[in-house]
Amino acid sequence: MTTNHTTAGDTQEWLATVTVEQLENDPYPIFERLRREAPVAWIPAAHAWVASTWEACRTIADDATNFRGGTSPMHERVLGADHILGAEGETHQDLRAAVDPPLKPRAFRPLLEDQVRPTVRRYLEAIRGQGKAELMADYFEPISVRCVGDVIGLTDVDSDTLRRWFHALARGIANTAMDAEGRFTNPGGFAPADEAGAEIREVLEPLVAKLSAEPDGSALSHYLHHGRPHGDPRTLEQLLPSLKVIILGGLQEPGHQCAATFLGLTTRPEQLKRVTEDTTLLPRALTEGLRWMSPVFSASSRLPLREITMGEATMRPGQTVWLSYGSANRDETVFDRPDVFDLDRATHPHLAFGTGRHICSGSAYAPQVARIALEELFAAFPSIRLDSAHEVPVWGWLFRGPQRLDVLWD
């Protein structure tokens, strides 16, 4: 029999050696130890606190008395200030009232068969005769950016550009490494995000000017005019930080949910076979995919409003607290065999879209797009499987998912 003699000092010494690169490449062993030893821990390399357990993430996320919405020096560097993730009170309510309605089921349900499925089928036809594909670039991400981009109102921006925008912003968000004084150790790492941000502004300026004068049925038009006095729409400056949040997170959500679910199913071939033969199982599979590999792994955050102590952690105002929902969704005290993708897992809510007042606006729309994308894929290619000649690189600790998914079918 062995006894765990780990002390707080041992944990602190170990945390000092954890690098952002380790978190990006394989966060699971690190977070498993954090859940066991330090549910809320200071990671020096990220110059931030990280909450890793289900209880800690839920407690902090839902506590509007002691924590405000999430932002960080990196968020503000990439997205700008006063975005929807960090807003509170009337400002937050105003932004959510503008952003949420077009992504509610009543608004998007008619679009699923009229717009989403035809879009999915168009991308499917492009790969049908190939016998192989790289699903991220050829199918999952193009469908994701097109279906979300069209709802937003970015119908004139091609899918390749939308993909490039969210990848560039995501790389900027991933540039989290800081020194002990809170300075970014790789300031040059923000260059792609800055270039994308400038391009986004250039594209949106004339579009916002047009929609300000001539509203239409797009979500962007709704963002500009909802709740505003006649003739006084919101400005691009007011909306741009939150629109970058939507481009960063929203454009990738359905595609990366597809990727997590598909990859999870490939670890259980018998379960993949069941789903390809009976696509009514897809909602269950997609829910488990989000739990098993949460695309928004640790990208949600909170800021303490006062000095807060949880266990041995004392968080102070101004310090970033990352909520690692991807770790909470593998909490051993909540989920049996959490590292295993299991289509038959007992029903339990996940935190992949966050929780509370800052829950993801697309939490209803994204799974529907993902469902249709996988329905059509499995119906067209029931023999689809990973190409064993290629590895599946998985990366990231703020956003996490497969970078490539090479597949074959008969």
Side-chain angles (χ1 to χ4, degrees):
M1 177 178 177
T2 60
T3 303
N4 186 348
H5 293 293
T6 301
T7 66
D10 294 333
T11 301
Q12 293 301 318
E13 184 177 349
W14 163 66
L15 287 171
T17 70
V18 172
T19 67
V20 169
E21 183 179 14
Q22 289 172 334
L23 289 166
E24 290 170 341
N25 289 330
D26 187 7
Y28 293 114
I30 295 170
F31 279 100
E32 182 180 0
R33 183 170 175 180
L34 286 174
R35 290 193 298 270
R36 185 172 64 248
E37 297 180 12
V40 180
W42 178 259
I43 308 290
H47 199 72
W49 295 95
V50 173
S52 57
T53 63
W54 179 276
E55 180 181 4
C57 286
R58 283 295 300 261
T59 297
I60 295 171
D62 291 340
D63 186 350
T65 301
N66 293 309
F67 295 90
R68 58 164 287 190
T71 188
S72 70
M74 172 270 297
H75 274 117
E76 295 183 4
R77 175 66 179 77
V78 174
L79 305 173
D82 299 325
H83 52 73
I84 195 169
L85 297 178
E88 291 289 5
E90 291 184 3
T91 301
H92 182 242
Q93 293 170 12
D94 182 56
L95 283 168
R96 291 299 296 242
V99 168
D100 287 359
L103 296 171
K104 295 292 187 183
R106 179 179 295 181
F108 70 67
R109 191 174 290 116
L111 304 179
L112 295 179
E113 296 301 323
D114 294 344
Q115 292 185 23
V116 173
R117 197 175 294 276
T119 297
V120 168
R121 288 176 173 171
R122 187 168 72 248
Y123 282 104
L124 192 67
E125 286 305 309
I127 63 173
R128 183 180 292 276
Q130 299 176 181
K132 63 180 181 179
E134 197 283 278
L135 286 179
M136 300 306 292
D138 296 341
Y139 189 68
F140 288 154
E141 288 185 352
I143 286 168
S144 189
V145 300
R146 190 72 276 147
C147 291
V148 177
D150 287 350
V151 167
I152 294 172
L154 301 176
T155 53
D156 292 335
V157 183
D158 65 82
S159 299
D160 288 342
T161 297
L162 293 174
R163 285 187 68 227
R164 179 165 49 79
W165 283 355
F166 90 64
H167 277 295
L169 292 177
R171 288 288 170 171
I173 291 292
N175 190 30
T176 55
M178 288 183 162
D179 62 22
E181 283 71 46
R183 295 185 295 254
F184 293 110
T185 59
N186 179 28
F190 293 110
D194 290 345
E195 293 169 6
E199 190 176 342
I200 291 167
R201 175 184 288 277
E202 184 179 356
V203 169
L204 287 178
E205 279 179 343
L207 182 57
V208 166
K210 180 177 184 296
L211 292 175
S212 294
E214 304 172 14
D216 64 15
S218 69
L220 182 55
S221 178
H222 184 83
Y223 303 162
L224 289 167
H225 294 281
H226 179 78
R228 304 293 290 183
H230 181 70
D232 183 29
R234 295 176 178 85
T235 66
L236 177 59
E237 295 306 319
Q238 289 174 307
L239 286 178
L240 189 57
S242 294
L243 287 172
K244 286 184 182 179
V245 171
I246 295 169
I247 291 169
L248 165 65
L251 290 184
Q252 66 179 303
E253 277 182 358
H256 288 196
Q257 184 176 1
C258 284
T261 302
F262 181 84
L263 184 59
L265 283 168
T266 65
T267 69
R268 306 291 298 277
E270 76 287 356
Q271 295 192 1
L272 175 60
K273 184 174 186 294
R274 285 169 57 195
V275 173
T276 56
E277 293 177 349
D278 180 7
T279 55
T280 64
L281 295 172
L282 271 172
R284 176 181 288 272
L286 285 161
T287 297
E288 175 65 354
L290 284 172
R291 184 209 64 81
W292 180 72
M293 183 179 289
S294 305
V296 183
F297 194 95
S298 299
S300 295
S301 63
R302 296 290 186 271
L303 294 176
L305 293 171
R306 54 189 58 82
E307 188 171 290
I308 306 294
T309 297
M310 294 181 65
E312 296 181 357
T314 299
M315 297 161 278
R316 295 181 175 83
Q319 294 180 328
T320 301
V321 184
W322 295 111
L323 303 177
S324 185
Y325 292 138
S327 174
N329 284 334
R330 291 198 178 196
D331 190 328
E332 300 83 353
T333 68
V334 177
F335 301 98
D336 182 45
R337 299 193 305 156
D339 295 347
V340 176
F341 182 98
D342 186 1
L343 185 64
D344 300 314
R345 184 177 299 280
T347 301
H348 191 287
H350 60 72
L351 295 176
F353 290 117
T355 185
R357 65 200 184 281
H358 285 282
I359 193 170
C360 175
S361 297
S363 60
Y365 182 61
Q368 294 302 318
V369 175
R371 173 184 60 80
I372 292 172
L374 288 178
E375 276 180 0
E376 294 291 334
L377 184 71
F378 291 151
F381 313 128
S383 65
I384 195 166
R385 59 197 181 276
L386 289 177
D387 184 348
S388 60
H390 297 271
E391 294 184 356
V392 180
V394 180
W395 183 87
W397 78 284
L398 293 186
F399 295 96
R400 185 163 184 81
Q403 305 301 290
R404 291 182 61 92
L405 275 173
D406 292 276
V407 297
L408 303 169
W409 58 87
D410 300 326

